[in-house]
Amino acid sequence: QVQLVESGGGLVQAGNSLRLSCAVSGRTFSSYAMGWFRQAPGKEREFVALISASGYTDYGDSVKGRFTISRDNAKNTVYLQMNSLKPEDTAVYYCAASPTQYPRAYLIQASYYSYWGQGTQVTVSS
């Protein structure tokens, strides 16, 4: 069973930065496509970023230029560096893993990920 554990969330003032981490169990992490999603109260889960097994990255429009996704296959960990945070970034952030390297059009959708973490709260104050 694949397990994902997020960490690094917290309370931060607008304009500051946070780095989220997601540790993944299992021996095949390097073959997974990884994604970050977020969900604010009363809103649908929103795509934030993805990184494929080959290192291709993509971002949601609302975070482009501010957030960076990366992965360390030696540590079975994916990261989300979040800079210039805004109050509207406040949400629970989830990491997700897909054993299948779907095209981008699919990997921006939560339903194409097989494994999920429990989420970590990010709160940005104004």
Side-chain angles (χ1 to χ4, degrees):
Q1 183 70 12
V2 178
Q3 292 185 323
L4 287 71
V5 179
E6 301 100 334
S7 61
L11 173 64
V12 65
Q13 286 190 327
N16 286 350
S17 300
L18 277 177
R19 189 177 79 156
L20 305 183
S21 300
C22 174
V24 182
S25 67
R27 294 174 290 180
T28 56
F29 170 77
S30 61
S31 67
Y32 294 156
M34 299 298 300
W36 285 97
F37 292 77
R38 67 187 183 186
Q39 189 164 19
K43 294 188 177 181
E44 293 186 354
R45 194 163 294 193
E46 176 189 16
F47 167 71
V48 174
L50 70 88
I51 185 166
S52 71
S54 64
Y56 166 83
T57 60
D58 203 354
Y59 299 91
D61 288 341
S62 61
V63 306
K64 279 182 181 176
R66 299 188 298 123
F67 290 12
T68 302
I69 189 171
S70 61
R71 66 191 300 158
D72 185 337
N73 291 336
K75 296 183 178 179
N76 279 23
T77 301
V78 62
Y79 303 98
L80 184 68
Q81 178 67 43
M82 306 185 294
N83 297 332
S84 302
L85 283 161
K86 304 175 181 179
E88 50 263 45
D89 294 319
T90 295
V92 178
Y93 284 70
Y94 299 90
C95 70
S98 170
T100 304
Q101 300 300 309
Y102 294 109
R104 173 198 178 274
Y106 296 95
L107 287 177
I108 63 174
Q109 301 178 59
S111 60
Y112 284 87
Y113 290 83
S114 301
Y115 307 105
W116 289 84
Q118 81 288 350
T120 186
Q121 176 71 46
V122 172
T123 303
V124 184
S125 64
S126 57

